[in-house]
Amino acid sequence: MQKRKIPFTILWVILAVCGGGLVVWDLTAFPDYIYENPSTLPFNHEKHGEALGLDCSKCHPGAEAGIRAGMPSKADCMDCHNLPLSDSPENEAFDKALLTAKENPFTFTSLLPSNVVFPHGLHVKSGVSCETCHGSAKEIDAGRRPQVRMQDCLACHQGKRGFPQASTDCARCHR
Amino acid sequence: MTSFAYMLAALFAMIPAPFLFKAPMRVPLRGAAIAIVLLVDEVFVWLVSSPEYPHYELLPFQMLALMLCVSTLFLGRRRRLYASLATVLWLWIDFFGMLSLSYRGVPFQWLPFAVLPLAFLPIFFMHPYKKESRFFLAVIWAAAWILSFVFEL
Amino acid sequence: MKISRASFLKLLTGTFAALSLFGCRREKSLPKNEHREVSSKPDLSLWQKEIDEARFATPRPESLVMVPRPGIHPKFPDADVRLGMAIDLDLCDSCGKCALACMVENNVPRVNADEARKGRYMHWLELRGGMPVMCAHCGDAPCEKVCPTGAAVASPDGFSSMVYPRCIGTRFCGANCPLHARKFNYTDAAEQGLAAKFNPEVPLRPQGVMEKCSLCIQRLQNARIQAKTFGLEWRGSGVLPACAAACPKHAIIFGNWLDLNSDLVRKTRGRGIYAPKSIAKFLPAVVYLRGKA
Amino acid sequence: MNRNFLIFGLVLLLPSLFAVDSALSIGPASWALSQESFWGTPIADFVFWIGLAHAGTLFSAILLVLGVRWQHRVAFLAELSTIAALGVAASFPLIHLGIPEAFYNMIPVGNARSMYVNVESPLVWDFVAIFVYGTVSVLYLLLHLFSIRNASLEKYRRPFAWILFPLVLWVHTIVSLDFAVTFVPGWQGAYFPLYFIFGALFSGVALVQILVELSHRRVRAVEDLLIAFSWALLAFWMWEANVKAVWHPELLIFGFLVPQLLWISKVREISVVRALVAISVMASLWWERIGLVQPENLDWTWVDLGLASFGIGAFCVAFALLRILLKKFFPQAFDEDVMESLRERVVSFERKKFWISVGVGTFAAGAFAVYFIWNAPAFPGVRMIPVLFPIGALCAGISLSLFAIAELWKTRVAVMCAVLLAVFAVAVGGLLYRGTDVSYTESLTTVESVNPALGTSKQATAELWNARCAACHGKDGNLNRKFVHEFYPLPQTLSLERLDSLGLDSLSKVVLEGRNYMRPFRGRVTDAEAFALVRYMRSLAVQKKGGAVP
């Protein structure tokens, strides 16, 4: 009995290390970030996108040609919302909130580190659609945020994600 | 540095080889003796060579390694162990010396590393006290010495 | 308390089940924005003052030797871009406008009085004896060889780049740079209010990393991105680093050494090309012009 | 002895913890460095302590390999000092780093970001070699301890010594290459590997001499070695003086002349003199490293001195604690008679298992080389070799230890140990592969409304049109019917004729000031962009009509 104890203890330790390791792995592996709209303006991407034939870059200037995609200013909203567009309660709530909103009602904390440049326009031109990283309008409305992970950048740049290969030189993206 | 001075260095280095391990000596005395041989080698290199020669910094130590290698031919016991250790010392000095020189732009020289390991053939596969294996070893060490100069030019 | 084997097994299984359930939780709230508040409208005269101070710390110019015209980067023999600069010492009157422009463009911090006394200025572009000296972007760069993590790495565009997040501050690159062009962030300048975010395009460097002249990499990247977005090829045209743009005498010429029509190649034709003696053998891309060839 | 060591160590260690705290919290700014001289006393202390660590290996492994009959007691003392000194030595490079918590970036494994360490850099060799040296030294010490209890393990000691013997020399060679491969004039030297090895062994022997004196014993052979090494160092110092034209008389006095006192037998009999000679040797070698790392004198701060004191204090405390700990678990190792009897033991050589282990090591090193050549973009050729040997030695040492474990307990235990080790290695490797979440503090930016300044070229204007105008006017100049039809009264079509009749100037004014349902764009587009947009609109109208684009 005494003799058999050591191997069993080791077995349990192995199991514990395996299991514990996997759990730690799971907990710390990159999850999706969930984002709550900090703005007072309720906004619905789904109702604005394909349904109206609008491009992302209408409200996010630069999203399809610039380096960064900006957020819409109040004036950008007012381009259309100066008219009562529909009589749905959602729209009325939005119009009401817009009246008292400040000049830049939407701000956005970019998860992209400030030492990295991600040229939105260049990616769109190479065939990487907005949905590739940001997800569908529905997902965006649900609060999903793109995962900014260098390994994802690299997998794509190395041609492993179905897009053409691109440079993996540090100095192309890091500054 | 001329090739003549280089050959002279080899001869000069080998002079103390037969005597150094002949007599039983106390450890501090033997250490001092080897160090003095090294010092004399340094003075010799300082006289005949110049710092422009890329292996200038290494030369006294290569001479010492050659001397230690040759001296194992005159050992009475454990010749196999000490001959292999001395050859490894030589390889060590050459490899790491050239590695650090290569960072300074001196091209890395492969030939000594092709030749010196051949010394292990007679050390391990032939009788260490036979004349032939001693001769082989001497030839290989001499070749390593010559080649590391010839291919530097 | 004595635990029987069966109950121990149950306990273990239960724990695993609980932990695995916990592991299924796969969402996370956003990280806090750690971006420090730094002034973006600081008093430029403070920076100017430091440049004037630093001039006294480096009174001697680098000794120059003649070098051949910079060409292909040895690590990228197939590249058709080798960005570089030529500084015309015949035109330069060491006004120091380039140094200030560099600091403003790249958010180079000032240092506190204690650091200044020890000569730990952060200036990417130094005036050594009135001569503008910055990283020479060597082709055979000593810093890149010894960086353990690969934070100092050559770019296929022919310059030597620095990836700050990868840097762990061994400072080997700085020790190995004969030109002493690399600067170490000894203190957290943003915390002391000595750094300013003049340029939102450039990150502030944290304490403990190395930095150096990047050839205004943000401008190069932007120019390349702009050109490629519109489907054009970019070979180093249409962009100037901050120092070259700021030079009132146009003594700093920027361009692509491999583009025979670039400003750089045309203006250096027939001129004497020099490099600091300490790094002349490392194929620098930033060189000095003096007199005729 | 243990108590005195502990007290002496704590007296030095506790105050110096302030220096360590300051070095870690303030960073490298707290000790003497400049923007030109980036390496300071921590590096000198590191080289010094890693040198002291060599003593244990010299006395137990190297002499065992060379077939010198040696006192187990001294070897054991030296082995303990190796472990303690190695721990101290390893802490200095971490203190030295600008970002100490990111040290793992030097570990040569791949990661998900395809970032591979630069195996050309001596620091990577250094990191690997010291890690391996530490691990293998601990394994060797354990083997030694278990072999005292269990004579069947004795046959593994010499094979293990054969792995450790080249490794220890390799480690210090690599430490020397940290300096020798650089372009710093004072650090260059192709002869540094040998020079550093002898310096390390010299200081290590001096340390053992002190430890022997403190345990009130006398080992003449150690004193002899001290003299022998002092002569070797003389030769190196002379050569350095010749090559670099620097002259350090203080080193020759305290490092060479003082040890020569031991030739005089009357003086040599005095215990205090022997200890003082050893201290003088150690001090001169420490000073030599300081002079090497910082050729020009910088103003030392209290942290510099504090870190030096930390080294001594931490060593003494670690050494004493190790002895107290081991006395509890391995009382035989502290038993005079047992240790004396070991000297007579016949040491055989476990040939088969040694060669299997060497094979494992060779395979591991080869696999690492292949893995790196496969993944890392530029193969550094011969510059990779320094890192290969420690990797091989680590695997060979582990495999030999597993054989010893199998001998000591059972094969099953050894297999389980191997599995556990593999799991641990995979877990750590996986974590390293995955990397950390956010590695950069100043990381996130706030995005607000921005105007992407694209310029006014034809392509840029087209992009601007698509972004700003196409929502209503359509990408092709036809109205976006999906949107406009639903919400607005239909406006007049913008035909070429209508555009021309209005004129480009007034149209660009409409863009800026707005008209009817169209809101003003002033502030969102510049005047030049507005004009370019109008021209683009006209070109679209021309295209629509079937004409060529101007």
Side-chain angles (χ1 to χ4, degrees), chain C residues 8-81:
Chain C
F8 177 68
L9 268 175
K10 269 187 220 157
L11 201 72
L12 205 70
T13 324
T15 319
F16 269 119
L19 285 174
S20 313
L21 276 177
F22 194 47
C24 294
R25 196 185 61 98
R26 286 184 63 83
E27 57 184 61
K28 197 155 114 185
S29 55
L30 283 175
K32 286 228 171 63
N33 190 351
E34 293 173 48
H35 194 121
R36 274 189 230 89
E37 286 298 320
V38 283
S39 157
S40 57
K41 294 263 184 299
D43 185 2
L44 263 188
S45 66
L46 293 170
W47 268 259
Q48 184 60 54
K49 216 177 107 201
E50 196 186 86
I51 289 168
D52 295 335
E53 267 171 38
R55 272 175 194 257
F56 290 104
T58 50
R60 261 192 318 207
E62 292 288 320
S63 54
L64 297 174
V65 291
M66 210 163 210
V67 289
R69 170 187 300 276
I72 289 168
H73 192 287
K75 283 182 192 150
F76 308 103
D78 305 328
D80 59 354
V81 182

Side-chain angles (χ1 to χ4, degrees), chain C residues 28 33-35 120-121 144-148 166 168-172 174-176 184 186 197 204 206-207 226, chain D residues 26 28-29 31 33-35 38-39 96 98-99 102 115 118 121 123 178 182-184 437 440 442 444 454:
Chain C
K28 197 155 114 185
N33 190 351
E34 293 173 48
H35 194 121
R120 297 178 188 164
Y121 294 108
E144 289 162 12
K145 273 184 205 161
V146 296
C147 173
R166 187 73 178 159
I168 59 173
T170 64
R171 311 195 282 291
F172 204 176
N176 206 21
F184 184 67
Y186 279 102
K197 195 107 181 169
L204 294 175
Q207 181 186 348
Q226 182 109 307
Chain D
I26 299 175
W31 64 86
L33 293 173
S34 75
Q35 284 298 23
F38 285 108
W39 281 9
H96 159 86
I99 305 174
M115 291 286 297
N118 177 14
S121 165
L123 291 186
D178 284 351
T182 61
F183 289 96
V184 183
D437 208 345
Y440 200 55
E442 195 243 354
L444 309 176
L454 299 174

Side-chain angles (χ1 to χ4, degrees), chain D residues 15-86:
Chain D
S16 72
L17 287 180
F18 285 102
V20 175
D21 173 58
S22 153
L24 287 176
S25 57
I26 299 175
S30 60
W31 64 86
L33 293 173
S34 75
Q35 284 298 23
E36 296 192 356
S37 170
F38 285 108
W39 281 9
T41 43
I43 291 294
D45 288 337
F46 159 70
V47 177
F48 178 67
W49 283 102
I50 198 92
L52 291 185
H54 284 46
T57 323
L58 171 73
F59 282 109
S60 57
I62 298 181
L63 294 182
L64 189 67
V65 162
L66 296 181
V68 180
R69 285 279 169 115
W70 194 254
Q71 295 191 2
H72 268 256
R73 210 158 21 79
V74 178
F76 181 60
L77 207 62
E79 272 173 49
L80 286 186
S81 77
T82 290
I83 307 286
L86 208 54

Side-chain angles (χ1 to χ4, degrees), chain C residues 156-182:
Chain C
D157 291 340
F159 58 93
S160 177
S161 63
M162 182 72 208
V163 187
Y164 306 122
R166 187 73 178 159
C167 178
I168 59 173
T170 64
R171 311 195 282 291
F172 204 176
C173 55
N176 206 21
C177 176
L179 194 57
H180 303 301
R182 287 179 160 262

Side-chain angles (χ1 to χ4, degrees), chain C residues 12-277:
Chain C
L12 205 70
T13 324
T15 319
F16 269 119
L19 285 174
S20 313
L21 276 177
F22 194 47
C24 294
R25 196 185 61 98
R26 286 184 63 83
E27 57 184 61
K28 197 155 114 185
S29 55
L30 283 175
K32 286 228 171 63
N33 190 351
E34 293 173 48
H35 194 121
R36 274 189 230 89
E37 286 298 320
V38 283
S39 157
S40 57
K41 294 263 184 299
D43 185 2
L44 263 188
S45 66
L46 293 170
W47 268 259
Q48 184 60 54
K49 216 177 107 201
E50 196 186 86
I51 289 168
D52 295 335
E53 267 171 38
R55 272 175 194 257
F56 290 104
T58 50
R60 261 192 318 207
E62 292 288 320
S63 54
L64 297 174
V65 291
M66 210 163 210
V67 289
R69 170 187 300 276
I72 289 168
H73 192 287
K75 283 182 192 150
F76 308 103
D78 305 328
D80 59 354
V81 182
R82 174 96 198 267
L83 300 174
M85 290 204 283
I87 298 161
D88 196 333
L89 291 180
D90 295 343
L91 292 177
C92 176
D93 58 0
S94 44
C95 62
K97 290 207 170 64
C98 47
L100 186 64
C102 172
M103 293 182 88
V104 170
E105 170 71 18
N106 293 300
N107 300 335
V108 178
R110 288 181 294 134
V111 294
N112 60 36
D114 189 38
E115 298 284 295
R117 193 174 50 75
K118 292 171 180 163
R120 297 178 188 164
Y121 294 108
M122 296 302 300
H123 304 173
W124 288 9
L125 193 161
E126 279 179 322
L127 298 161
R128 295 190 189 159
M131 176 179 148
V133 177
M134 76 276 282
C135 170
H137 296 277
C138 309
D140 187 20
C143 51
E144 289 162 12
K145 273 184 205 161
V146 296
C147 173
T149 60
V153 66
S155 160
D157 291 340
F159 58 93
S160 177
S161 63
M162 182 72 208
V163 187
Y164 306 122
R166 187 73 178 159
C167 178
I168 59 173
T170 64
R171 311 195 282 291
F172 204 176
C173 55
N176 206 21
C177 176
L179 194 57
H180 303 301
R182 287 179 160 262
K183 307 288 163 187
F184 184 67
N185 281 283
Y186 279 102
T187 57
D188 194 331
E191 205 170 61
Q192 302 174 45
L194 295 168
K197 195 107 181 169
F198 293 105
N199 186 354
E201 300 262 293
V202 180
L204 294 175
R205 277 77 60 185
Q207 181 186 348
V209 306
M210 272 284 177
E211 59 185 61
K212 67 165 188 86
C213 163
S214 64
L215 224 52
C216 288
I217 187 171
Q218 63 282 359
R219 294 189 178 202
L220 308 182
Q221 285 171 340
N222 289 356
R224 170 194 293 279
I225 289 164
Q226 182 109 307
K228 282 177 76 178
T229 306
F230 300 140
L232 310 170
E233 208 191 326
W234 186 78
R235 286 189 67 195
S237 57
V239 63
L240 280 182
C243 54
C247 184
K249 306 246 167 155
H250 303 293
I252 303 181
I253 313 154
F254 173 82
N256 176 2
W257 285 112
L258 304 182
D259 181 358
L260 295 182
N261 299 319
S262 72
D263 244 16
L264 183 61
V265 175
R266 278 190 290 109
K267 286 191 184 164
T268 51
R269 234 172 240 147
R271 301 290 307 273
I273 298 180
Y274 293 82
K277 197 177 162 201

Side-chain angles (χ1 to χ4, degrees), chain B residues 24-79:
Chain B
M25 231 189 269
R26 281 178 55 213
V27 171
L29 220 54
R30 177 152 290 157
I34 298 175
I36 287 168
V37 168
L38 181 58
L39 274 170
V40 172
D41 286 349
E42 284 169 9
V43 173
F44 176 83
V45 171
W46 177 62
L47 287 175
V48 304
S49 187
S50 72
E52 279 82 63
Y53 177 64
H55 291 185
Y56 174 75
E57 288 172 16
L58 272 181
L59 207 52
F61 304 96
Q62 284 171 330
M63 283 168 76
L64 182 74
L66 176 68
M67 192 274 284
L68 288 175
C69 279
V70 174
S71 71
T72 60
L73 294 179
F74 302 94
L75 282 180
R77 51 185 273 280
R78 312 206 72 170
R79 195 179 283 174

Side-chain angles (χ1 to χ4, degrees), chain D residues 492-503:
Chain D
Q492 276 177 296
T493 22
L494 293 168
S495 62
L496 184 59
E497 293 76 24
R498 191 171 142 74
L499 287 177
D500 282 342
S501 71
L502 287 169

